[in-house]
Amino acid sequence: MKQATIGKKEIGKLLHAAASTYKVYAPVAEADDVRLVGLEPDMEPTLEYTNFKRSAKELFFPACELICTYENETLTEAPLPDEKFVVFGVRPCDALALALLDKVFGEFGGSRDPYYMKRRENGLVIALACLEPEDTAFCTAAGSGPAGTDGADILVYDVGKELLFEALSEKGEAFLSDYQKFLGKPGAAAKKARDRIVEKAKARAAELDLHGLKQKLERNFDSPLWKEISEICLGCGLCTYQCPTCHCFDITDEVQGRKGRRIRTWDSCQYALFTHHASGHNPRPSKNERMRQRVLHKFLYTVENLGETFCVGCGRCVRNCPVNLDLRETLKSLQGLSAQDKAKDNSGT
Amino acid sequence: MNKNDTHENTADWEPRIVAFLCNWCSYAGADLAGIGRMQYPPSVRVVRVPCSGRINPLYIVKALQEGADGVLVSGCHPGDCHYISGNLVARRKFAMLREFLFYVGIPKERVQFSWVSAAEGPRFAALIRKITEDVRKLGPNTKLAKSSA
Amino acid sequence: MKDMQEKLRAAVKTLLDKHEVAFVIGYQRGSVRGRSKPCFVRTPEQADQLIWDQTCSNNLTVYLPPLFRRPRLRPGQEPPPLPRVGIVVKGCDALSVAGLVREKQVPRANIVAIGMPCQGILDPDSKQVLPSCLDCQHPVPEQADIKIDGPAREPAKDPLARAREFEAKPIEERWRYFAEQIKKCIRCYACREACPNCYCKSCFADSTNPRWIGLSSEQSDTMLYQLGRLFHQAGRCVGCNACVRACPMGVDLHTFTTKLLKDAKELFDDTPGEDTESVPLLSTFDPHDSDAFITDPDKQD
């Protein structure tokens, strides 16, 4: 089944039914916030949100993951996650972020992250297209868009009183077939509304111009602009934690006597100690270098290594930065740099 | 911690209390209790420190995290500190720490402070008896304890 | 409010014209609705970027300690001169400045504080005054060098009300609430970086030898981080609520910082930030401090 509809009021029924086979993560209103949570029988999913504070990456790449335990001479590897789950309601930007993370945790550099990849195998992603993205979002400029189709198994369109499901993968099709008793065939009006959403998304103007940024970044490593940009940064790392494509991690051992465990946790290039060497030297001693690293990693190095910009324009860093350090403004300033010969650039400017 | 130590509130459970004792007074007092063959419950694991002023509040909270059911800090009586004022500076810290931990939900009986001098063997034994009973009534500490504790 | 903004800009222009300061730290228009952002103003022309309104939420004092950190010197090398800087402060921020001067992190003579009476910071979405601002007792920065005239909130009748309210709850309810707040925490450390008092070059939370705080997402580890950081503020926290505003997940730190302020006041009659001369309460002692909390096994309960 490729396309199907369901009344908006019935979506709870579908998800609760799915919850008997899968672990279902759905948007639920909590206090003053809407969060993606494991759906319990007494919860009702909601569609009243623009985006979640926390991205879906934590469902595939958890903030803390057990790798192995050991006692005396015996090491026991943690079992690979085997729970089948469904994530409903992520926005296309967050779904694209998963497709980007697939490149890092997939075969990049010849090594494969078994935990992340197993979760991707086990997880079904149902994305919800945006009718009106947040004012801090710049998804179109970053290569995604309100109706982007990357990274998801099913894309859902809000076509008025109904939701229109569109399968993007075999997994998605199989899901729609399994739950066809909740679904109907899309009528002409629904299909038209879906097409309008797609057209509107295509016609959406890029929120900023990122053309040629890569070349400028290549040639301006020593620009004094980095110091200006990072002057108000607090170095808190909030941007990296909320970013759906940031993926740096730390591995630590927690030892008690003759037993211990090894865990992987999120880390952030914005922390001062991130590149602190055992010798005491730190090649990124101040906020300038760390801010520069973050921008170059996302807009230059990943482009060179993986062919992708590691930013989906979700706008979380913009909205939540305590000092309102706006990545969009940063990118605009960087676009003002010259892509000309390095020697010319750094002469006295 | 003994491999057989249990963390659950079973019939076998015995309170496990970490005691930070200052070397010059309280540790000597504990020693005196031992020499005098005074009986007190074997619930206490002693950590000897040079002065009660050395105690970083993190030690206390960390002990609770690692599975201690109670924490005791004992130093010289005010005025008798071997380093003159270590215990006086510590006194303010402990007062505020105990209040703060109680505020977030750690019962006061789990974290106790006392002054025991080198001559007070019986007082030390009585102190251990008291804190062991206080903690026994509260049951095992699960609040700050880590899952691997 | 616009009047105060004009006066502020004029004052800053004068400071820069006369070269009395190297730069002024203030607020400019933010790029997100309802937000402002910090800015560093170096020329009189740039002073026109400065704004003043109820979106000026950041505690700018956080930028001061790194400016005055002494670098390592080679033998015979003269220390570089310390800058003189201007800084726009609300009442709460002014307390932070006093706190930093008291702890010798910032020389008073090198600061020109421009005081702005505050009516409370507005939540960018709801446009209501933030709950943590309602408890404010110092809406007017008394210790400022340049005082800008303007309306201010009424000081709260009981700034410690929240702590009193929380203390009255049963212990298990308090623990549940604490655990609920901890559940929201993602360990991003925004609270630490926004706090002017967290100026340690090496933070206990980052220590690896010994590792005080595990990195896992377990409640226990996150609790230890929060308890550790908050208790490091005992007797030092001035209640500026920069941590509360920086937290992206809405962790209610205000309830816990208010307790520290209450104990400082009621146990030791100390209000951090009120002056620049006193010693922080945990760095000193009084021979008559109370022994009420001490366990005395010889006393019958």
Side-chain angles (χ1 to χ4, degrees):
Chain A
M1 198 181 209
K2 282 231 147 140
Q3 270 189 343
T5 46
I6 186 172
K8 267 190 192 162
K9 298 211 172 87
E10 313 299 307
I11 186 68
K13 287 206 189 97
L14 166 62
L15 293 175
H16 281 296
S20 53
T21 319
Y22 304 90
K23 172 105 184 169
V24 174
Y25 294 93
V28 170
E30 276 187 356
D32 51 354
D33 206 10
V34 175
R35 290 188 52 188
L36 259 185
V37 294
L39 197 66
E40 298 292 316
D42 59 346
M43 292 177 177
E44 264 318 294
T46 174
L47 300 171
E48 305 296 314
Y49 61 95
T50 19
N51 207 347
F52 316 112
K53 276 201 183 126
R54 294 159 88 145
S55 69
K57 89 174 166 185
E58 57 185 41
L59 297 175
F60 297 88
F61 170 50
C64 175
E65 174 129 50
L66 181 69
I67 298 197
C68 64
T69 53
Y70 39 87
E71 183 156 359
N72 293 321
E73 312 290 315
T74 322
L75 185 133
T76 317
E77 295 213 20
L80 287 182
D82 59 1
E83 187 179 51
K84 296 241 180 292
F85 62 100
V86 170
V87 187
F88 175 83
V90 294
R91 294 300 185 181
C93 50
D94 287 347
L96 169 62
L98 292 174
L100 294 176
L101 289 178
D102 287 347
K103 296 206 170 187
V104 172
F105 290 127
E107 300 295 333
F108 177 61
S111 62
R112 193 173 180 278
D113 183 316
Y115 308 98
Y116 173 88
M117 294 311 285
K118 195 72 184 12
R119 288 202 176 86
R120 283 292 271 148
E121 244 179 73
N122 294 342
L124 181 88
V125 179
I126 306 179
L128 178 62
C130 290
L131 294 178
E132 202 53 65
E134 296 217 29
D135 53 4
T136 45
F138 53 104
C139 43
T140 308
S144 171
T149 52
D150 293 292
D153 297 294
I154 298 174
L155 184 56
V156 179
Y157 299 88
D158 180 339
V159 291
K161 287 214 180 70
E162 295 180 314
L163 296 175
L164 190 149
F165 283 59
E166 195 165 279
L168 300 170
S169 70
E170 274 176 31
K171 242 193 210 164
E173 278 185 53
F175 182 82
L176 293 181
S177 300
D178 287 341
Y179 291 94
Q180 55 186 287
K181 74 171 188 198
F182 294 91
L183 304 165
K185 251 177 64 137
K191 285 196 188 165
K192 249 203 193 145
R194 172 250 183 231
D195 290 341
R196 269 202 301 272
I197 294 176
V198 174
E199 274 155 34
K200 186 173 172 211
K202 278 209 183 87
R204 183 181 162 94
E207 303 85 352
L208 17 130
D209 178 18
L210 295 179
H211 289 112
L213 179 64
K214 174 179 178 283
Q215 287 72 21
K216 293 177 188 171
L217 293 178
E218 271 168 353
R219 297 189 183 283
N220 287 285
F221 193 77
D222 295 314
S223 166
L225 188 57
W226 294 112
K227 182 152 192 264
E228 236 179 83
I229 291 170
S230 63
E231 194 159 39
I232 61 173
C233 171
L234 295 179
C236 68
L238 202 160
C239 46
T240 54
Y241 270 51
Q242 296 207 306
C243 174
T245 58
C246 275
H247 51 269
C248 286
F249 57 84
D250 192 4
I251 295 187
T252 45
D253 283 358
E254 299 188 335
V255 182
Q256 257 197 344
R258 302 278 301 174
K259 63 179 177 141
R261 59 183 195 166
R262 180 164 295 169
I263 57 172
R264 173 172 73 179
T265 54
W266 288 357
D267 204 349
S268 171
C269 59
Q270 299 302 292
Y271 296 149
L273 294 181
F274 188 71
T275 46
H276 186 88
H277 293 175
S279 61
H281 172 65
N282 190 342
R284 297 186 201 142
S286 82
K287 291 182 304 193
N288 310 353
E289 292 89 23
R290 297 193 283 268
M291 168 67 61
R292 177 178 63 193
Q293 156 62 20
R294 179 151 193 273
V295 175
L296 292 182
H297 192 186
K298 290 183 167 305
F299 294 92
L300 175 59
Y301 304 149
T302 48
V303 177
E304 288 175 342
N305 294 335
L306 301 162
E308 300 282 0
T309 303
F310 262 53
C311 172
V312 297
C314 71
R316 285 184 177 90
C317 56
V318 175
R319 178 165 291 285
N320 295 301
C321 172
V323 292
N324 192 198
L325 215 177
D326 193 324
L327 182 61
R328 300 172 300 182
E329 290 180 351
T330 301
L331 295 172
K332 272 201 200 111
S333 310
L334 292 167
Q335 282 285 51
L337 290 170
S338 168
Q340 291 311 303
D341 199 35
K342 218 178 179 190
K344 277 197 203 147
D345 279 335
N346 294 330
S347 56
T349 29
Chain B
M1 306 272 182
N2 192 324
K3 224 183 179 161
N4 297 324
D5 284 339
T6 175
H7 213 52
E8 281 100 49
N9 202 354
T10 62
D12 302 338
W13 172 73
E14 282 295 315
R16 294 179 297 181
I17 297 167
V18 175
F20 295 97
L21 306 180
C22 89
N23 176 62
W24 303 99
C25 284
S26 296
Y27 188 81
D31 203 37
L32 186 59
I35 290 172
R37 303 274 189 272
M38 291 173 211
Q39 295 297 306
Y40 57 84
S43 54
V44 166
R45 283 78 165 151
V46 171
V47 178
R48 181 176 63 135
V49 294
C51 177
S52 53
R54 173 68 182 93
I55 305 300
N56 182 337
L58 278 174
Y59 298 172
I60 296 170
V61 196
K62 195 79 182 146
L64 292 171
Q65 188 187 45
E66 294 291 340
D69 299 304
V71 178
L72 170 68
V73 178
S74 184
C76 307
H77 286 270
D80 294 345
C81 177
H82 183 84
Y83 303 100
I84 319 297
S85 55
N87 59 353
L88 298 178
V89 179
R91 178 161 58 177
R92 289 192 161 195
K93 218 186 320 185
F94 298 152
M96 282 194 89
L97 178 66
R98 195 171 193 230
E99 276 297 312
F100 197 59
L101 289 177
F102 182 55
Y103 188 76
V104 301
I106 307 290
K108 284 192 170 165
E109 291 78 11
R110 285 211 194 275
V111 180
Q112 298 195 31
F113 304 92
S114 70
W115 309 131
V116 172
S117 85
E120 293 177 314
R123 182 181 163 91
F124 182 79
L127 176 66
I128 300 305
R129 265 178 249 127
K130 178 177 193 316
I131 190 172
T132 306
E133 275 327 294
D134 287 345
V135 173
R136 193 191 298 281
K137 282 200 204 96
L138 290 173
N141 169 41
T142 49
K143 280 182 171 168
L144 279 178
K146 220 168 136 121
S147 64
S148 53
Chain C
M1 208 58 93
K2 265 215 139 44
D3 184 41
M4 291 169 78
Q5 186 172 285
E6 289 316 309
K7 288 190 195 145
L8 168 65
R9 289 179 183 174
V12 171
K13 282 191 180 127
T14 309
L15 281 176
L16 291 169
D17 269 328
K18 292 196 190 155
H19 300 287
E20 288 194 30
V21 293
F23 53 84
V24 176
I25 314 175
Y27 304 94
Q28 61 176 310
R29 174 67 43 230
S31 63
V32 175
R33 230 175 325 134
R35 301 277 309 271
S36 67
K37 64 198 275 190
C39 71
F40 286 63
V41 168
R42 294 180 161 84
T43 67
E45 296 73 45
Q46 287 175 344
D48 284 322
Q49 285 172 22
L50 292 171
I51 63 157
W52 173 254
D53 59 29
Q54 287 179 269
T55 66
C56 295
S57 70
N58 298 103
N59 185 340
L60 300 174
T61 320
V62 70
Y63 296 113
L64 293 180
L67 296 173
F68 299 101
R69 215 165 264 161
R70 315 278 173 143
R72 268 217 201 108
L73 298 172
R74 277 188 290 279
Q77 189 182 10
E78 279 301 309
L82 294 175
R84 195 150 187 265
V85 305
I87 179 168
V88 177
V89 292
K90 310 186 282 293
C92 45
D93 310 333
L95 296 176
S96 290
V97 175
L100 287 177
V101 171
R102 168 166 100 144
E103 292 181 15
K104 314 265 192 281
Q105 293 304 307
V106 161
R108 184 65 182 90
N110 291 59
I111 304 291
V112 178
I114 307 169
M116 313 297 292
C118 177
Q119 293 189 289
I121 300 302
L122 300 178
D123 181 295
D125 298 310
S126 71
K127 300 285 191 276
Q128 301 295 312
V129 173
L130 293 174
S132 48
C133 286
L134 298 174
D135 286 342
C136 175
Q137 206 180 31
H138 293 94
V140 180
E142 308 287 345
Q143 310 126 326
D145 301 301
I146 299 175
K147 296 199 183 63
I148 306 290
D149 262 318
R153 299 180 59 71
E154 276 302 306
K157 287 208 175 51
D158 183 8
L160 305 173
R162 179 57 184 144
R164 280 189 238 288
E165 187 199 333
F166 195 75
E167 272 176 348
K169 294 185 201 284
I171 190 173
E172 289 309 320
E173 202 185 313
R174 296 201 301 267
W175 176 256
R176 256 198 316 272
Y177 185 79
F178 179 53
E180 248 171 51
Q181 297 309 309
I182 292 300
K183 208 160 158 222
K184 297 185 198 169
C185 174
I186 56 175
R187 302 277 290 280
C188 68
Y189 302 117
C191 50
R192 176 184 71 178
E193 301 302 332
C195 173
N197 277 344
C198 283
Y199 51 72
C200 289
K201 278 193 219 164
S202 156
C203 175
F204 82 99
D206 296 330
S207 167
T208 50
N209 193 12
R211 190 179 280 288
W212 293 114
I213 313 290
L215 297 182
S216 84
S217 316
E218 259 194 65
Q219 173 180 274
S220 171
D221 284 326
T222 308
M223 279 183 173
L224 238 78
Y225 163 66
Q226 291 291 351
L227 286 174
R229 194 190 83 82
L230 287 168
F231 198 70
H232 269 136
Q233 299 301 326
R236 303 169 59 224
C237 174
V238 302
C240 74
N241 292 309
C243 53
V244 181
R245 296 193 292 267
C247 178
M249 310 309 292
V251 175
D252 175 16
L253 296 165
H254 177 69
T255 298
F256 303 101
T257 53
T258 313
K259 169 63 171 171
L260 295 171
L261 289 166
K262 177 173 183 285
D263 280 351
K265 183 92 193 113
E266 295 185 350
L267 296 177
F268 303 108
D269 195 24
D270 183 282
T271 306
E274 239 178 14
D275 72 272
T276 55
E277 301 303 314
S278 58
V279 180
L281 72 93
L282 286 186
S283 300
T284 184
F285 63 89
D286 183 326
H288 304 296
D289 281 334
S290 168
D291 269 340
F293 69 101
I294 296 290
T295 302
D296 189 346
D298 299 328
K299 241 196 328 222
Q300 299 303 321
D301 282 330

